[in-house]
Amino acid sequence: MTGAKREKKSVLWSKMHAPRCEDLKQWCRRRLPILEWAPHYNLKENLLPDTVSGIMLAVQQVTQGLAFAILSSVHPVFGLYGSLFPAIIYAIFGMGRHVATGTFALTSLISANAVERLVPLSSQNLTTQSNTSVLGLSDFEMQRIGVAAAVSFLGGVIQVAMFVLQIGSATFLLTEPVISAMTTGAATHVVTSQVKYLLGMKMPYISGPLGFFYIYAYVFENIKSVQLEALLLSLLSIVVLVLVKELNEQFKRKIKVVLPVDLVLIIAASFACYCTNMENTYGLEVVGHIPKGIPPPRAPPMNVLSAVITEAFGVALVGYVASLALAQGSAKKFKYSVDDNQEFLAHGLSNVIPSFFFCIPSAAAMGRTAGLYSTKAKTQVACLISCIFVLIVIYAIGPLLYWLPMCVLASIIVVGLKGMLIQFRDLKKYWNVDKIDWGIWVSTYIFTICFAANVGLLFGVVCTIAIVIGRFPRAKTLHIKNVKEIEFKVKTEMDGETLQQVKIISINNPLVFLNVKKFHTDLINVIQKENASNQLQDDISKCEQNTLLNSLSNGNCNEEASQPCPNGKCSLILDCSGLTFFDYSGVSMLVEVYMDCKSQSVDVSLAHCTASLIKAMKYRGNLDSEKPVFFESISAAISNIHSNKNRGKLSDHSEV
């Protein structure tokens, strides 16, 4: 009896705890994305491109680490640490496959404000000049990295807190024009911060409101102090970098491995500077001594946290927004999904944990993501491989970078910001689609360069919300309603009588950034609901429903689901009579729905479209020019479907 009771208890215990173990496994997979893709990693197909991408990424990480550490007003060696630890943490917790976390220009600028305010350069003489036990650096350098690490720690804590509060669901407020303007303005700030190195000028640290203009005022007032050797070397470096990178982009399909021009330039400039002794002969500023190794971890100074709250919030918001935009762009390009809240956790831990290893604030950078695109990286293994090479630099090659001229390093950073700076071209796009978005872009950019990136971001979000709230009362409805559906049965005669289903979706609200996701979800739900109610129908109807449903999903279709309907095309009509106004995000969603349906052999027609909507959609997407897409009424769209069906039937009979 005792054995039977024990066996019964063990069965009950296993039943009670089995679901909890399964839930724990699902939670781990959700919070540790590496557990999802690592077990299925294809060594044969992915290792070679990931290795090549990792080597190229390591070059970017090292150069940007050195430059952004100086931009953050700390010793360059701490930039190498900032290129190592955050990349490892994000590879474990992050969902972006082409997102390389490391030092970032915008977060470095923000943390520099705290460093220069709390440990100004003038206090160097008051600080004891004795070297500390950490890498032989002075007390002054350790105090500065302490402040930068505190900003990173508190910024990461804020991001983790936002993850706990599930604030990632509010990221729809960060519209594309606001992010584009903010990052472009911040890139302008970074270029301005590198002017003193490009010109070889000695310049005091200038920040605060309108600091952008004060820097250029100082440059023009002291134009005679420009170092000609530094200016010429900067111009030569920029010309070489731009020319070679353009050639790499032009012939990337013909060559398997692009030329690592950054690495070649670093080696050539350092060797030339060493041989000609430019530091002493021409007074050229160089990177200086880079100590070997990684010091033991140490907690950031907690006594300065209250003094860096403003900078910490700026790092948390600006770093997250810029990184999320890159992750979402990567997910859209390569057809996978990214959880906004999980990205909060990933970037929060990428700031909190590395802060114990003397790292400056981190985030993803557009240049590194573009590099991973061009080298055809497949997974985060490329970032992990780059960390191996960064470790080699830290322990072996670092001291050889002593002779690298600062003007060359600044040139590499400026050219690396090309992807952000060319976003000025977005102005034409916004002007043609929605002039209000154009105005938001311009005003957000002006606020960013006049004040700071976090101020510009906040202004852009508030301005966008205010404009949408002002526009919504003029709409036909004030609430986002579910889309309505009507069904038409079109009879065709081929080998018997077949019923073709035409879905008509009526859009009854404005389509803007606030409700594009809701519109997309409602569209899927309507079709999914109909699909569930018609499960007992014949195989043809099921094929049509599944094809239409899968065409509107976020691109996460398996091969079986993505097969087009073999017995006839499905059709979807969008009634836009209730679409009173729209913005760039709304037009993008309509174009995305159209392109997804087209790829799944689903005909899409739009009825009752305004002239402005037709113009915006034609400008935004490559619509099918052979088939009519826009119709004056629903009946005209249905008649077009009838005629296309009859035309197909006649062609089939003629072939027979």
Side-chain angles (χ1 to χ4, degrees):
M1 291 294 292
T2 305
K5 286 183 179 179
R6 287 180 179 175
E7 186 177 353
K8 187 176 181 180
K9 284 184 178 180
S10 64
V11 172
L12 291 174
W13 182 264
S14 62
K15 286 183 178 180
M16 185 171 22
H17 286 269
R20 296 183 181 178
C21 293
E22 188 63 30
D23 291 342
L24 180 61
K25 290 180 181 178
Q26 291 180 0
W27 185 88
C28 289
R29 291 193 191 99
R30 192 167 63 250
R31 297 306 169 209
L32 297 171
I34 193 172
L35 299 179
E36 285 287 337
W37 59 263
H40 309 290
Y41 186 77
N42 192 325
L43 288 173
K44 186 177 180 181
E45 293 184 3
N46 298 338
L47 185 59
L48 180 60
D50 280 345
T51 302
V52 174
S53 299
I55 296 172
M56 302 299 294
L57 177 61
V59 176
Q60 286 183 302
Q61 289 277 36
V62 170
T63 55
Q64 292 180 357
L66 295 173
F68 294 157
I70 296 172
L71 186 61
S72 192
S73 299
V74 299
H75 194 278
V77 72
F78 299 119
L80 296 179
Y81 305 153
S83 300
L84 174 66
F85 294 103
I88 297 174
I89 302 300
Y90 184 84
I92 298 173
F93 294 93
M95 299 186 71
R97 300 174 192 171
H98 297 79
V99 174
T101 303
T103 54
F104 186 43
L106 311 189
T107 54
S108 296
L109 273 176
I110 295 172
S111 65
N113 293 332
V115 172
E116 293 289 346
R117 188 179 75 251
L118 299 178
V119 192
L121 195 61
S122 58
S123 67
Q124 186 173 9
N125 297 329
L126 303 177
T127 307
T128 57
Q129 295 299 314
S130 60
N131 293 338
T132 64
S133 58
V134 181
L135 301 174
L137 298 176
S138 65
D139 291 330
F140 175 75
E141 293 290 355
M142 296 311 300
Q143 289 178 13
R144 286 201 150 195
I145 187 56
V147 174
V151 173
S152 178
F153 174 81
L154 188 55
V157 169
I158 293 171
Q159 288 175 329
V160 173
M162 290 179 175
F163 159 75
V164 174
L165 297 174
Q166 300 290 292
I167 296 181
S169 58
T171 53
F172 67 89
L173 295 173
L174 304 171
T175 63
E176 185 177 327
V178 172
I179 296 175
S180 174
M182 185 272 292
T183 52
T184 307
T188 309
H189 272 297
V190 176
V191 171
T192 302
S193 69
Q194 299 299 306
V195 166
K196 62 180 180 181
Y197 299 116
L198 294 173
L199 301 179
M201 295 179 63
K202 299 293 183 181
M203 184 185 302
Y205 181 78
I206 301 174
S207 64
L210 303 180
F212 173 85
F213 302 101
Y214 291 137
I215 290 175
Y216 285 105
Y218 183 90
V219 169
F220 286 113
E221 288 175 1
N222 300 272
I223 195 70
K224 293 182 180 179
S225 63
V226 171
Q227 197 173 9
L228 185 60
E229 294 81 6
L231 176 61
L232 293 176
L233 189 55
S234 299
L235 292 174
L236 179 62
S237 301
I238 291 174
V239 169
V240 170
L241 287 169
V242 172
L243 182 62
V244 175
K245 289 191 175 185
E246 286 296 324
L247 290 175
N248 282 338
E249 187 68 22
Q250 190 75 19
F251 298 101
K252 64 180 180 180
R253 295 182 179 179
K254 297 181 180 180
I255 56 178
K256 294 183 179 180
V257 180
V258 296
L259 178 65
V261 61
D262 294 354
L263 178 61
V264 173
L265 183 62
I266 288 173
I267 295 173
S270 300
F271 183 75
C273 184
Y274 171 76
C275 293
T276 58
N277 195 18
M278 291 184 183
E279 182 184 15
N280 298 321
T281 305
Y282 303 107
L284 206 64
E285 187 176 359
V286 295
V287 170
H289 174 62
I290 305 292
K292 289 183 180 180
I294 299 175
R298 179 189 297 179
M302 301 298 170
N303 59 325
V304 301
L305 293 183
S306 59
V308 298
I309 292 178
T310 303
E311 288 80 9
F313 268 102
V315 164
L317 295 177
V318 173
Y320 172 76
V321 168
S323 302
L324 181 65
L326 293 174
Q328 289 178 338
S330 172
K332 188 174 181 180
K333 183 179 180 68
F334 295 98
K335 306 298 182 183
Y336 62 91
S337 60
V338 170
D339 184 357
D340 298 348
N341 282 304
Q342 180 64 24
E343 289 299 290
F344 260 129
L345 176 64
H347 289 289
L349 295 178
S350 297
N351 277 312
V352 171
I353 298 175
S355 67
F356 290 82
F357 294 89
F358 307 96
C359 293
I360 60 178
S362 65
M366 182 180 290
R368 296 195 291 266
T369 299
L372 291 175
Y373 287 165
S374 63
T375 53
K376 300 178 181 179
K378 302 297 182 182
T379 64
Q380 277 290 329
V381 171
C383 297
L384 295 176
I385 291 175
S386 74
C387 292
I388 297 175
F389 290 95
V390 173
L391 268 176
I392 294 174
V393 172
I394 291 174
Y395 279 96
I397 305 177
L400 300 178
L401 297 173
Y402 178 97
W403 298 100
L404 177 61
M406 286 300 302
C407 59
V408 174
L409 193 58
S411 302
I412 294 174
I413 298 306
V414 170
V415 175
L417 293 170
K418 175 189 172 184
M420 288 186 179
L421 295 174
I422 62 175
Q423 290 180 131
F424 279 108
R425 297 186 301 188
D426 292 346
L427 284 172
K428 179 181 178 182
K429 175 175 63 177
Y430 297 129
W431 180 265
N432 284 281
V433 175
D434 184 20
K435 293 179 176 56
I436 292 181
D437 277 346
W438 182 89
I440 292 174
W441 197 103
V442 172
S443 58
T444 301
Y445 176 80
I446 292 174
F447 264 75
T448 301
I449 64 170
C450 289
F451 299 99
N454 50 345
V455 177
L457 178 65
L458 181 61
F459 170 82
V461 171
V462 172
C463 186
T464 303
I465 294 174
I467 289 175
V468 171
I469 291 175
R471 294 171 78 181
F472 255 98
R474 297 195 299 271
K476 291 183 179 180
T477 57
L478 293 176
H479 304 284
I480 302 174
K481 297 180 179 180
N482 291 333
V483 291
K484 296 181 179 179
E485 176 196 33
I486 308 172
E487 288 187 1
F488 285 88
K489 302 293 183 179
V490 181
K491 293 185 178 182
T492 59
E493 295 178 5
M494 293 175 63
D495 298 329
E497 188 177 279
T498 304
L499 295 179
Q500 181 192 13
Q501 191 177 41
V502 179
K503 291 282 184 181
I504 299 181
I505 306 296
S506 178
I507 306 174
N508 296 324
N509 289 277
L511 199 57
V512 293
F513 73 96
L514 285 171
N515 64 348
V516 288
K517 289 186 178 180
K518 181 67 164 55
F519 165 76
H520 191 265
T521 303
D522 287 343
L523 200 57
I524 294 176
N525 288 340
V526 166
I527 300 168
Q528 200 169 23
K529 180 179 177 182
E530 181 64 22
N531 188 38
S533 63
N534 292 338
Q535 285 183 354
L536 299 179
Q537 289 184 354
D538 57 359
D539 293 336
I540 297 176
S541 296
K542 288 184 179 180
C543 177
E544 291 173 349
Q545 292 286 345
N546 289 331
T547 304
L548 193 56
L549 175 61
N550 282 300
S551 67
L552 295 171
S553 63
N554 288 319
N556 301 324
C557 305
N558 54 33
E559 294 180 0
E560 182 180 353
S562 63
Q563 293 295 328
C565 185
N567 295 327
K569 283 190 174 182
C570 308
S571 299
L572 173 66
I573 299 176
L574 294 179
D575 178 15
C576 301
S577 57
L579 188 56
T580 52
F581 67 86
F582 53 89
D583 65 358
Y584 185 83
S585 300
V587 173
S588 299
M589 178 56 69
L590 286 175
V591 173
E592 182 180 343
V593 168
Y594 174 83
M595 299 304 294
D596 287 344
C597 290
K598 181 182 176 183
S599 65
Q600 300 296 328
S601 299
V602 177
D603 288 332
V604 179
S605 304
L606 284 81
H608 299 294
C609 297
T610 60
S612 58
L613 177 61
I614 296 174
K615 178 183 176 183
M617 287 193 65
K618 286 182 177 179
Y619 184 86
R620 175 62 182 84
N622 297 322
L623 304 183
D624 196 345
S625 58
E626 297 179 0
K627 298 179 181 179
V629 178
F630 306 98
F631 298 91
E632 295 180 355
S633 63
I634 296 176
S635 59
I638 296 174
S639 300
N640 180 70
I641 294 173
H642 271 287
S643 60
N644 288 339
K645 194 67 179 180
N646 293 332
R647 193 179 303 116
K649 182 180 67 175
L650 290 174
S651 62
D652 291 342
H653 281 299
S654 62
E655 290 177 0
V656 174

